[in-house]
Amino acid sequence: MAEIHHFAHGAFNPIAAYLLAFIGSLLGLVCTARARATRQRSRRARWLVLASIAIGGAGIWLMHFMAILGFSVPASPLRYDPYLTMASLALSVLTVGGGLFIVGFGRRRVLRVLGGGFVTGLGVVAMHYTGMLAMRVYGTISYDPRLVLASIGVAVVAATVALWFTVTVGSWTRITMAAGVMALAVCGMHYTGMAALHVRLHESGIHHVQGVSPMQLLVPIVLISSAALIGMAFSGLKAMTEEEFSAPPPPTTGGRHSETPFTVALRPGSDVF
C-alpha cells in the first residue's frame, strides 16, 4: 500500500474545513428559523432552498473540498475529474434540500425527522464517495468496508441530528451551539470515510495522471461559492423585505412593539412548522 497523508499541510485544512462547516450550518439554521416564521408556503420554500445551499454547499461540500486539499499521496500525482467534482456538489445540495423539505412542511413528527435524516445521510455519503471517485492517482483506490459502513452510520446520524436541530432550535445561543455540533459531525463523517481509503500504486513507475490538479479547481470553486453566497444574500434580503411589507403593522402596548415573526422563530421552544 502506498503512503498516504491526510494532513499534508498540518492543522490548517481540518481547522479551515471545520470553520466552513460551522459557517454553512449557522447560515442554514438561521434560514430554517426564517422558514419556521413564515406561514406562506412559497416563502417557506425559498428559505428552505437557501438553507439547502448553505448547509449542503458551504457546510458539507466546501468543507469536504477544503479537507481534501490536505490529502496527498507522496509517491503519485493527484488529480481530479472536474465533472464528478461538480456532480458531488449537486448531490450535496439536492439531498440536503430533500431532507429539509421533508421536515419543513406538514406537522413536526419524529418519523419525518428520521426519514429526512436517512435520505439526507445517504445523500451526503453519495456526495462524499462521488467526490472520492473523482480522485485520480497512478494506481488503484480501495476502501476498508468496515470504515465505509461506519462513515455511513455517522452520516445518517449526523443528518438526523442536523434536521432535528432545524425544527427545534430557537435562540441564537442554541443555533450557534447546534451549528458547532453539526460541523463536528460533518467533519467526523468526512475523516472517517477518508480513513477507509487505501492506494496501491502501479509497479511500472509514475506516468501521466489525467484530470486537473487541486489548485486548478480553486478558481472555479471560489467563483461558484462567491456567486452562490451573493445570490443567497440578495435572495434573503428580498425575502425579508417582502415579508416586512406584507406583514400587518405590529400593535403597540405601552409603547413597546410586539414580537416580529423572526424573534418568535428564534424564541426557545417556538414551533411554527
Side-chain angles (χ1 to χ4, degrees):
M1 294 293 179
E3 180 183 2
I4 292 175
H5 293 167
H6 292 290
F7 307 101
H9 306 296
F12 172 78
N13 290 100
I15 292 175
Y18 178 83
L19 290 176
L20 283 172
F22 174 78
I23 293 171
S25 300
L26 184 64
L27 288 173
L29 288 174
V30 171
C31 289
T32 56
R34 294 292 311 200
R36 294 206 305 269
T38 182
R39 295 292 184 180
Q40 293 190 13
R41 295 179 66 88
S42 60
R43 290 177 183 169
R44 180 176 295 182
R46 179 187 297 181
W47 283 115
L48 292 178
V49 168
L50 292 177
S52 305
I53 296 172
I55 297 175
I60 296 176
W61 187 81
L62 278 181
M63 172 270 148
H64 166 86
F65 189 80
M66 177 56 66
I68 211 70
L69 287 177
F71 176 83
S72 70
V73 182
S76 170
L78 191 62
R79 299 291 183 267
Y80 291 90
D81 183 321
Y83 300 106
L84 285 175
T85 302
M86 292 299 107
S88 67
L89 170 60
L91 273 173
S92 182
V93 174
L94 290 175
T95 53
V96 169
L100 288 175
F101 273 81
I102 288 174
V103 301
F105 288 91
R107 295 178 61 85
R108 186 178 67 186
R109 293 177 179 173
V110 174
L111 287 179
R112 280 183 175 271
V113 175
L114 292 177
F118 183 77
V119 170
T120 304
L122 292 184
V124 172
V125 170
M127 178 282 302
H128 175 81
Y129 287 103
T130 300
M132 298 308 299
L133 185 63
M135 185 184 296
R136 302 284 186 265
V137 297
Y138 189 68
T140 57
I141 295 176
S142 60
Y143 295 91
D144 183 333
R146 294 170 298 179
L147 288 176
V148 170
L149 289 175
S151 70
I152 294 173
V154 172
V156 172
V157 172
T160 304
V161 172
L163 292 181
W164 179 79
F165 279 142
T166 63
V167 297
T168 57
V169 294
S171 67
W172 282 106
T173 300
R174 292 186 179 183
I175 285 180
T176 303
M177 293 175 60
V181 173
M182 288 171 62
L184 187 63
V186 170
C187 291
M189 179 270 159
H190 172 85
Y191 284 107
T192 301
M194 291 301 297
L197 184 145
H198 301 290
V199 175
R200 184 180 297 277
L201 298 177
H202 298 317
E203 298 179 356
S204 57
I206 297 176
H207 295 282
H208 176 69
V209 178
Q210 293 185 343
V212 298
S213 68
M215 294 305 171
Q216 288 177 306
L217 285 174
L218 276 179
V219 173
I221 285 174
V222 168
L223 291 176
I224 292 173
S225 302
S226 300
L229 289 174
I230 293 172
M232 282 182 59
F234 276 107
S235 182
L237 289 172
K238 183 174 183 293
M240 286 189 289
T241 302
E242 290 176 352
E243 290 170 5
E244 289 172 358
F245 275 105
S246 62
T252 58
T253 303
R256 296 179 60 185
H257 291 282
S258 63
E259 291 181 301
T260 66
F262 187 47
T263 58
V264 170
L266 292 179
R267 189 174 58 206
S270 62
D271 181 15
V272 292
F273 260 54

mmCIF file with all atom_site columns, all heavy atoms in Angstrom, residues 16 22 26 38 42 45 61 81 94 104 117 126 130 161 163 180-181 186 189 198 215 237 247 255 263:
data_model
loop_
_atom_site.group_PDB
_atom_site.id
_atom_site.type_symbol
_atom_site.label_atom_id
_atom_site.label_alt_id
_atom_site.label_comp_id
_atom_site.label_asym_id
_atom_site.label_entity_id
_atom_site.label_seq_id
_atom_site.pdbx_PDB_ins_code
_atom_site.Cartn_x
_atom_site.Cartn_y
_atom_site.Cartn_z
_atom_site.occupancy
_atom_site.B_iso_or_equiv
_atom_site.pdbx_formal_charge
_atom_site.auth_seq_id
_atom_site.auth_comp_id
_atom_site.auth_asym_id
_atom_site.auth_atom_id
_atom_site.pdbx_PDB_model_num
ATOM 1   N N   . ALA A 1 16  ? -9.738  24.875 8.890   1.00 0.00 ? 16  ALA A N   1
ATOM 2   C CA  . ALA A 1 16  ? -10.494 25.636 7.885   1.00 0.00 ? 16  ALA A CA  1
ATOM 3   C C   . ALA A 1 16  ? -11.753 24.881 7.475   1.00 0.00 ? 16  ALA A C   1
ATOM 4   O O   . ALA A 1 16  ? -12.812 25.485 7.278   1.00 0.00 ? 16  ALA A O   1
ATOM 5   C CB  . ALA A 1 16  ? -9.612  25.909 6.664   1.00 0.00 ? 16  ALA A CB  1
ATOM 6   N N   . PHE A 1 22  ? -19.033 25.012 10.031  1.00 0.00 ? 22  PHE A N   1
ATOM 7   C CA  . PHE A 1 22  ? -19.736 25.776 11.061  1.00 0.00 ? 22  PHE A CA  1
ATOM 8   C C   . PHE A 1 22  ? -20.497 26.947 10.454  1.00 0.00 ? 22  PHE A C   1
ATOM 9   O O   . PHE A 1 22  ? -21.679 27.171 10.756  1.00 0.00 ? 22  PHE A O   1
ATOM 10  C CB  . PHE A 1 22  ? -18.740 26.280 12.109  1.00 0.00 ? 22  PHE A CB  1
ATOM 11  C CG  . PHE A 1 22  ? -19.352 27.199 13.124  1.00 0.00 ? 22  PHE A CG  1
ATOM 12  C CD1 . PHE A 1 22  ? -20.108 26.697 14.166  1.00 0.00 ? 22  PHE A CD1 1
ATOM 13  C CD2 . PHE A 1 22  ? -19.185 28.572 13.028  1.00 0.00 ? 22  PHE A CD2 1
ATOM 14  C CE1 . PHE A 1 22  ? -20.687 27.539 15.106  1.00 0.00 ? 22  PHE A CE1 1
ATOM 15  C CE2 . PHE A 1 22  ? -19.745 29.429 13.961  1.00 0.00 ? 22  PHE A CE2 1
ATOM 16  C CZ  . PHE A 1 22  ? -20.505 28.912 14.998  1.00 0.00 ? 22  PHE A CZ  1
ATOM 17  N N   . LEU A 1 26  ? -24.473 27.354 10.376  1.00 0.00 ? 26  LEU A N   1
ATOM 18  C CA  . LEU A 1 26  ? -25.069 28.510 11.052  1.00 0.00 ? 26  LEU A CA  1
ATOM 19  C C   . LEU A 1 26  ? -26.012 29.256 10.110  1.00 0.00 ? 26  LEU A C   1
ATOM 20  O O   . LEU A 1 26  ? -27.151 29.587 10.473  1.00 0.00 ? 26  LEU A O   1
ATOM 21  C CB  . LEU A 1 26  ? -23.964 29.439 11.551  1.00 0.00 ? 26  LEU A CB  1
ATOM 22  C CG  . LEU A 1 26  ? -24.408 30.651 12.375  1.00 0.00 ? 26  LEU A CG  1
ATOM 23  C CD1 . LEU A 1 26  ? -25.070 30.209 13.669  1.00 0.00 ? 26  LEU A CD1 1
ATOM 24  C CD2 . LEU A 1 26  ? -23.216 31.556 12.667  1.00 0.00 ? 26  LEU A CD2 1
ATOM 25  N N   . THR A 1 38  ? -42.511 31.964 8.759   1.00 0.00 ? 38  THR A N   1
ATOM 26  C CA  . THR A 1 38  ? -43.469 32.383 7.737   1.00 0.00 ? 38  THR A CA  1
ATOM 27  C C   . THR A 1 38  ? -44.555 31.341 7.557   1.00 0.00 ? 38  THR A C   1
ATOM 28  O O   . THR A 1 38  ? -44.312 30.136 7.680   1.00 0.00 ? 38  THR A O   1
ATOM 29  C CB  . THR A 1 38  ? -42.751 32.643 6.392   1.00 0.00 ? 38  THR A CB  1
ATOM 30  O OG1 . THR A 1 38  ? -43.702 33.092 5.422   1.00 0.00 ? 38  THR A OG1 1
ATOM 31  C CG2 . THR A 1 38  ? -42.068 31.386 5.876   1.00 0.00 ? 38  THR A CG2 1
ATOM 32  N N   . SER A 1 42  ? -44.760 29.487 -0.315  1.00 0.00 ? 42  SER A N   1
ATOM 33  C CA  . SER A 1 42  ? -43.748 29.906 -1.283  1.00 0.00 ? 42  SER A CA  1
ATOM 34  C C   . SER A 1 42  ? -42.541 30.518 -0.591  1.00 0.00 ? 42  SER A C   1
ATOM 35  O O   . SER A 1 42  ? -41.394 30.253 -0.958  1.00 0.00 ? 42  SER A O   1
ATOM 36  C CB  . SER A 1 42  ? -44.345 30.902 -2.275  1.00 0.00 ? 42  SER A CB  1
ATOM 37  O OG  . SER A 1 42  ? -44.826 32.060 -1.601  1.00 0.00 ? 42  SER A OG  1
ATOM 38  N N   . ALA A 1 45  ? -40.624 27.803 1.232   1.00 0.00 ? 45  ALA A N   1
ATOM 39  C CA  . ALA A 1 45  ? -39.812 27.044 0.278   1.00 0.00 ? 45  ALA A CA  1
ATOM 40  C C   . ALA A 1 45  ? -38.547 27.814 -0.090  1.00 0.00 ? 45  ALA A C   1
ATOM 41  O O   . ALA A 1 45  ? -37.466 27.227 -0.208  1.00 0.00 ? 45  ALA A O   1
ATOM 42  C CB  . ALA A 1 45  ? -40.626 26.731 -0.978  1.00 0.00 ? 45  ALA A CB  1
ATOM 43  N N   . TRP A 1 61  ? -20.186 20.456 1.319   1.00 0.00 ? 61  TRP A N   1
ATOM 44  C CA  . TRP A 1 61  ? -19.325 20.247 0.153   1.00 0.00 ? 61  TRP A CA  1
ATOM 45  C C   . TRP A 1 61  ? -18.049 21.073 0.216   1.00 0.00 ? 61  TRP A C   1
ATOM 46  O O   . TRP A 1 61  ? -16.960 20.553 -0.063  1.00 0.00 ? 61  TRP A O   1
ATOM 47  C CB  . TRP A 1 61  ? -20.101 20.562 -1.130  1.00 0.00 ? 61  TRP A CB  1
ATOM 48  C CG  . TRP A 1 61  ? -19.316 20.204 -2.354  1.00 0.00 ? 61  TRP A CG  1
ATOM 49  C CD1 . TRP A 1 61  ? -19.189 18.964 -2.918  1.00 0.00 ? 61  TRP A CD1 1
ATOM 50  C CD2 . TRP A 1 61  ? -18.549 21.094 -3.171  1.00 0.00 ? 61  TRP A CD2 1
ATOM 51  N NE1 . TRP A 1 61  ? -18.399 19.031 -4.029  1.00 0.00 ? 61  TRP A NE1 1
ATOM 52  C CE2 . TRP A 1 61  ? -17.991 20.328 -4.210  1.00 0.00 ? 61  TRP A CE2 1
ATOM 53  C CE3 . TRP A 1 61  ? -18.294 22.463 -3.121  1.00 0.00 ? 61  TRP A CE3 1
ATOM 54  C CZ2 . TRP A 1 61  ? -17.179 20.887 -5.191  1.00 0.00 ? 61  TRP A CZ2 1
ATOM 55  C CZ3 . TRP A 1 61  ? -17.486 23.024 -4.100  1.00 0.00 ? 61  TRP A CZ3 1
ATOM 56  C CH2 . TRP A 1 61  ? -16.937 22.236 -5.117  1.00 0.00 ? 61  TRP A CH2 1
ATOM 57  N N   . ASP A 1 81  ? -11.314 14.657 -11.478 1.00 0.00 ? 81  ASP A N   1
ATOM 58  C CA  . ASP A 1 81  ? -12.236 14.810 -12.587 1.00 0.00 ? 81  ASP A CA  1
ATOM 59  C C   . ASP A 1 81  ? -13.167 15.974 -12.244 1.00 0.00 ? 81  ASP A C   1
ATOM 60  O O   . ASP A 1 81  ? -13.953 15.878 -11.291 1.00 0.00 ? 81  ASP A O   1
ATOM 61  C CB  . ASP A 1 81  ? -13.035 13.519 -12.773 1.00 0.00 ? 81  ASP A CB  1
ATOM 62  C CG  . ASP A 1 81  ? -13.977 13.579 -13.973 1.00 0.00 ? 81  ASP A CG  1
ATOM 63  O OD1 . ASP A 1 81  ? -14.579 14.650 -14.208 1.00 0.00 ? 81  ASP A OD1 1
ATOM 64  O OD2 . ASP A 1 81  ? -14.127 12.552 -14.651 1.00 0.00 ? 81  ASP A OD2 1
ATOM 65  N N   . LEU A 1 94  ? -28.875 18.957 -3.306  1.00 0.00 ? 94  LEU A N   1
ATOM 66  C CA  . LEU A 1 94  ? -30.184 18.358 -3.583  1.00 0.00 ? 94  LEU A CA  1
ATOM 67  C C   . LEU A 1 94  ? -30.641 17.440 -2.450  1.00 0.00 ? 94  LEU A C   1
ATOM 68  O O   . LEU A 1 94  ? -31.814 17.457 -2.061  1.00 0.00 ? 94  LEU A O   1
ATOM 69  C CB  . LEU A 1 94  ? -30.144 17.593 -4.901  1.00 0.00 ? 94  LEU A CB  1
ATOM 70  C CG  . LEU A 1 94  ? -30.027 18.454 -6.169  1.00 0.00 ? 94  LEU A CG  1
ATOM 71  C CD1 . LEU A 1 94  ? -29.877 17.573 -7.408  1.00 0.00 ? 94  LEU A CD1 1
ATOM 72  C CD2 . LEU A 1 94  ? -31.233 19.374 -6.318  1.00 0.00 ? 94  LEU A CD2 1
ATOM 73  N N   . GLY A 1 104 ? -39.783 20.195 6.593   1.00 0.00 ? 104 GLY A N   1
ATOM 74  C CA  . GLY A 1 104 ? -40.176 21.598 6.590   1.00 0.00 ? 104 GLY A CA  1
ATOM 75  C C   . GLY A 1 104 ? -41.633 21.855 6.296   1.00 0.00 ? 104 GLY A C   1
ATOM 76  O O   . GLY A 1 104 ? -42.112 22.978 6.496   1.00 0.00 ? 104 GLY A O   1
ATOM 77  N N   . GLY A 1 117 ? -33.655 12.439 7.761   1.00 0.00 ? 117 GLY A N   1
ATOM 78  C CA  . GLY A 1 117 ? -32.263 12.198 8.127   1.00 0.00 ? 117 GLY A CA  1
ATOM 79  C C   . GLY A 1 117 ? -31.663 11.037 7.358   1.00 0.00 ? 117 GLY A C   1
ATOM 80  O O   . GLY A 1 117 ? -30.498 11.086 6.944   1.00 0.00 ? 117 GLY A O   1
ATOM 81  N N   . ALA A 1 126 ? -23.272 9.671  -0.614  1.00 0.00 ? 126 ALA A N   1
ATOM 82  C CA  . ALA A 1 126 ? -23.119 9.659  -2.072  1.00 0.00 ? 126 ALA A CA  1
ATOM 83  C C   . ALA A 1 126 ? -22.259 10.823 -2.532  1.00 0.00 ? 126 ALA A C   1
ATOM 84  O O   . ALA A 1 126 ? -21.414 10.677 -3.422  1.00 0.00 ? 126 ALA A O   1
ATOM 85  C CB  . ALA A 1 126 ? -24.499 9.712  -2.739  1.00 0.00 ? 126 ALA A CB  1
ATOM 86  N N   . THR A 1 130 ? -18.733 10.170 -4.285  1.00 0.00 ? 130 THR A N   1
ATOM 87  C CA  . THR A 1 130 ? -18.642 10.691 -5.654  1.00 0.00 ? 130 THR A CA  1
ATOM 88  C C   . THR A 1 130 ? -17.435 11.619 -5.767  1.00 0.00 ? 130 THR A C   1
ATOM 89  O O   . THR A 1 130 ? -16.690 11.578 -6.761  1.00 0.00 ? 130 THR A O   1
ATOM 90  C CB  . THR A 1 130 ? -19.916 11.458 -6.037  1.00 0.00 ? 130 THR A CB  1
ATOM 91  O OG1 . THR A 1 130 ? -21.032 10.580 -5.963  1.00 0.00 ? 130 THR A OG1 1
ATOM 92  C CG2 . THR A 1 130 ? -19.817 12.011 -7.463  1.00 0.00 ? 130 THR A CG2 1
ATOM 93  N N   . VAL A 1 161 ? -29.603 14.322 13.268  1.00 0.00 ? 161 VAL A N   1
ATOM 94  C CA  . VAL A 1 161 ? -29.428 15.326 14.324  1.00 0.00 ? 161 VAL A CA  1
ATOM 95  C C   . VAL A 1 161 ? -29.531 16.736 13.745  1.00 0.00 ? 161 VAL A C   1
ATOM 96  O O   . VAL A 1 161 ? -30.150 17.623 14.343  1.00 0.00 ? 161 VAL A O   1
ATOM 97  C CB  . VAL A 1 161 ? -28.067 15.123 15.027  1.00 0.00 ? 161 VAL A CB  1
ATOM 98  C CG1 . VAL A 1 161 ? -27.771 16.275 15.983  1.00 0.00 ? 161 VAL A CG1 1
ATOM 99  C CG2 . VAL A 1 161 ? -28.053 13.799 15.785  1.00 0.00 ? 161 VAL A CG2 1
ATOM 100 N N   . LEU A 1 163 ? -31.245 17.711 11.078  1.00 0.00 ? 163 LEU A N   1
ATOM 101 C CA  . LEU A 1 163 ? -32.641 18.030 10.782  1.00 0.00 ? 163 LEU A CA  1
ATOM 102 C C   . LEU A 1 163 ? -33.440 18.251 12.067  1.00 0.00 ? 163 LEU A C   1
ATOM 103 O O   . LEU A 1 163 ? -34.346 19.085 12.097  1.00 0.00 ? 163 LEU A O   1
ATOM 104 C CB  . LEU A 1 163 ? -33.264 16.910 9.946   1.00 0.00 ? 163 LEU A CB  1
ATOM 105 C CG  . LEU A 1 163 ? -32.718 16.764 8.526   1.00 0.00 ? 163 LEU A CG  1
ATOM 106 C CD1 . LEU A 1 163 ? -33.433 15.633 7.800   1.00 0.00 ? 163 LEU A CD1 1
ATOM 107 C CD2 . LEU A 1 163 ? -32.846 18.058 7.741   1.00 0.00 ? 163 LEU A CD2 1
ATOM 108 N N   . GLY A 1 180 ? -22.232 24.313 15.799  1.00 0.00 ? 180 GLY A N   1
ATOM 109 C CA  . GLY A 1 180 ? -20.964 23.712 16.195  1.00 0.00 ? 180 GLY A CA  1
ATOM 110 C C   . GLY A 1 180 ? -21.028 22.195 16.214  1.00 0.00 ? 180 GLY A C   1
ATOM 111 O O   . GLY A 1 180 ? -20.091 21.516 15.757  1.00 0.00 ? 180 GLY A O   1
ATOM 112 N N   . VAL A 1 181 ? -22.139 21.648 16.715  1.00 0.00 ? 181 VAL A N   1
ATOM 113 C CA  . VAL A 1 181 ? -22.305 20.191 16.744  1.00 0.00 ? 181 VAL A CA  1
ATOM 114 C C   . VAL A 1 181 ? -22.437 19.636 15.327  1.00 0.00 ? 181 VAL A C   1
ATOM 115 O O   . VAL A 1 181 ? -21.833 18.602 14.985  1.00 0.00 ? 181 VAL A O   1
ATOM 116 C CB  . VAL A 1 181 ? -23.535 19.814 17.589  1.00 0.00 ? 181 VAL A CB  1
ATOM 117 C CG1 . VAL A 1 181 ? -23.820 18.320 17.499  1.00 0.00 ? 181 VAL A CG1 1
ATOM 118 C CG2 . VAL A 1 181 ? -23.320 20.217 19.041  1.00 0.00 ? 181 VAL A CG2 1
ATOM 119 N N   . VAL A 1 186 ? -20.194 16.609 10.635  1.00 0.00 ? 186 VAL A N   1
ATOM 120 C CA  . VAL A 1 186 ? -19.843 16.564 9.216   1.00 0.00 ? 186 VAL A CA  1
ATOM 121 C C   . VAL A 1 186 ? -18.366 16.252 9.048   1.00 0.00 ? 186 VAL A C   1
ATOM 122 O O   . VAL A 1 186 ? -17.977 15.426 8.211   1.00 0.00 ? 186 VAL A O   1
ATOM 123 C CB  . VAL A 1 186 ? -20.207 17.907 8.539   1.00 0.00 ? 186 VAL A CB  1
ATOM 124 C CG1 . VAL A 1 186 ? -19.631 17.967 7.138   1.00 0.00 ? 186 VAL A CG1 1
ATOM 125 C CG2 . VAL A 1 186 ? -21.723 18.072 8.491   1.00 0.00 ? 186 VAL A CG2 1
ATOM 126 N N   . MET A 1 189 ? -17.682 12.588 9.821   1.00 0.00 ? 189 MET A N   1
ATOM 127 C CA  . MET A 1 189 ? -18.053 11.692 8.726   1.00 0.00 ? 189 MET A CA  1
ATOM 128 C C   . MET A 1 189 ? -16.991 11.705 7.636   1.00 0.00 ? 189 MET A C   1
ATOM 129 O O   . MET A 1 189 ? -16.594 10.664 7.103   1.00 0.00 ? 189 MET A O   1
ATOM 130 C CB  . MET A 1 189 ? -19.413 12.122 8.156   1.00 0.00 ? 189 MET A CB  1
ATOM 131 C CG  . MET A 1 189 ? -19.908 11.272 6.994   1.00 0.00 ? 189 MET A CG  1
ATOM 132 S SD  . MET A 1 189 ? -19.348 11.911 5.395   1.00 0.00 ? 189 MET A SD  1
ATOM 133 C CE  . MET A 1 189 ? -19.513 10.432 4.405   1.00 0.00 ? 189 MET A CE  1
ATOM 134 N N   . HIS A 1 198 ? -7.472  3.335  0.789   1.00 0.00 ? 198 HIS A N   1
ATOM 135 C CA  . HIS A 1 198 ? -6.137  2.766  0.588   1.00 0.00 ? 198 HIS A CA  1
ATOM 136 C C   . HIS A 1 198 ? -5.757  2.925  -0.884  1.00 0.00 ? 198 HIS A C   1
ATOM 137 O O   . HIS A 1 198 ? -6.623  2.868  -1.767  1.00 0.00 ? 198 HIS A O   1
ATOM 138 C CB  . HIS A 1 198 ? -6.101  1.284  0.959   1.00 0.00 ? 198 HIS A CB  1
ATOM 139 C CG  . HIS A 1 198 ? -6.476  1.013  2.384   1.00 0.00 ? 198 HIS A CG  1
ATOM 140 N ND1 . HIS A 1 198 ? -5.676  1.355  3.457   1.00 0.00 ? 198 HIS A ND1 1
ATOM 141 C CD2 . HIS A 1 198 ? -7.589  0.439  2.923   1.00 0.00 ? 198 HIS A CD2 1
ATOM 142 C CE1 . HIS A 1 198 ? -6.264  1.008  4.580   1.00 0.00 ? 198 HIS A CE1 1
ATOM 143 N NE2 . HIS A 1 198 ? -7.440  0.454  4.288   1.00 0.00 ? 198 HIS A NE2 1
ATOM 144 N N   . MET A 1 215 ? -5.248  22.630 -7.109  1.00 0.00 ? 215 MET A N   1
ATOM 145 C CA  . MET A 1 215 ? -5.115  24.080 -7.173  1.00 0.00 ? 215 MET A CA  1
ATOM 146 C C   . MET A 1 215 ? -5.845  24.671 -8.377  1.00 0.00 ? 215 MET A C   1
ATOM 147 O O   . MET A 1 215 ? -6.346  25.790 -8.325  1.00 0.00 ? 215 MET A O   1
ATOM 148 C CB  . MET A 1 215 ? -3.644  24.479 -7.188  1.00 0.00 ? 215 MET A CB  1
ATOM 149 C CG  . MET A 1 215 ? -2.918  24.145 -5.894  1.00 0.00 ? 215 MET A CG  1
ATOM 150 S SD  . MET A 1 215 ? -3.737  24.882 -4.446  1.00 0.00 ? 215 MET A SD  1
ATOM 151 C CE  . MET A 1 215 ? -2.829  24.109 -3.114  1.00 0.00 ? 215 MET A CE  1
ATOM 152 N N   . LEU A 1 237 ? -32.345 38.984 1.543   1.00 0.00 ? 237 LEU A N   1
ATOM 153 C CA  . LEU A 1 237 ? -32.769 40.359 1.770   1.00 0.00 ? 237 LEU A CA  1
ATOM 154 C C   . LEU A 1 237 ? -34.102 40.647 1.084   1.00 0.00 ? 237 LEU A C   1
ATOM 155 O O   . LEU A 1 237 ? -34.969 41.327 1.636   1.00 0.00 ? 237 LEU A O   1
ATOM 156 C CB  . LEU A 1 237 ? -31.699 41.329 1.263   1.00 0.00 ? 237 LEU A CB  1
ATOM 157 C CG  . LEU A 1 237 ? -30.406 41.396 2.096   1.00 0.00 ? 237 LEU A CG  1
ATOM 158 C CD1 . LEU A 1 237 ? -29.366 42.242 1.381   1.00 0.00 ? 237 LEU A CD1 1
ATOM 159 C CD2 . LEU A 1 237 ? -30.690 41.957 3.481   1.00 0.00 ? 237 LEU A CD2 1
ATOM 160 N N   . ALA A 1 247 ? -46.436 42.193 5.999   1.00 0.00 ? 247 ALA A N   1
ATOM 161 C CA  . ALA A 1 247 ? -46.926 41.955 7.366   1.00 0.00 ? 247 ALA A CA  1
ATOM 162 C C   . ALA A 1 247 ? -47.771 43.125 7.835   1.00 0.00 ? 247 ALA A C   1
ATOM 163 O O   . ALA A 1 247 ? -47.512 44.276 7.493   1.00 0.00 ? 247 ALA A O   1
ATOM 164 C CB  . ALA A 1 247 ? -45.743 41.750 8.312   1.00 0.00 ? 247 ALA A CB  1
ATOM 165 N N   . GLY A 1 255 ? -46.263 51.426 24.495  1.00 0.00 ? 255 GLY A N   1
ATOM 166 C CA  . GLY A 1 255 ? -45.085 51.961 23.835  1.00 0.00 ? 255 GLY A CA  1
ATOM 167 C C   . GLY A 1 255 ? -44.096 50.907 23.383  1.00 0.00 ? 255 GLY A C   1
ATOM 168 O O   . GLY A 1 255 ? -43.051 51.218 22.853  1.00 0.00 ? 255 GLY A O   1
ATOM 169 N N   . THR A 1 263 ? -38.306 36.953 15.621  1.00 0.00 ? 263 THR A N   1
ATOM 170 C CA  . THR A 1 263 ? -37.996 36.760 17.035  1.00 0.00 ? 263 THR A CA  1
ATOM 171 C C   . THR A 1 263 ? -38.819 35.633 17.614  1.00 0.00 ? 263 THR A C   1
ATOM 172 O O   . THR A 1 263 ? -38.375 34.939 18.515  1.00 0.00 ? 263 THR A O   1
ATOM 173 C CB  . THR A 1 263 ? -38.234 38.056 17.838  1.00 0.00 ? 263 THR A CB  1
ATOM 174 O OG1 . THR A 1 263 ? -39.599 38.459 17.659  1.00 0.00 ? 263 THR A OG1 1
ATOM 175 C CG2 . THR A 1 263 ? -37.321 39.163 17.383  1.00 0.00 ? 263 THR A CG2 1
#
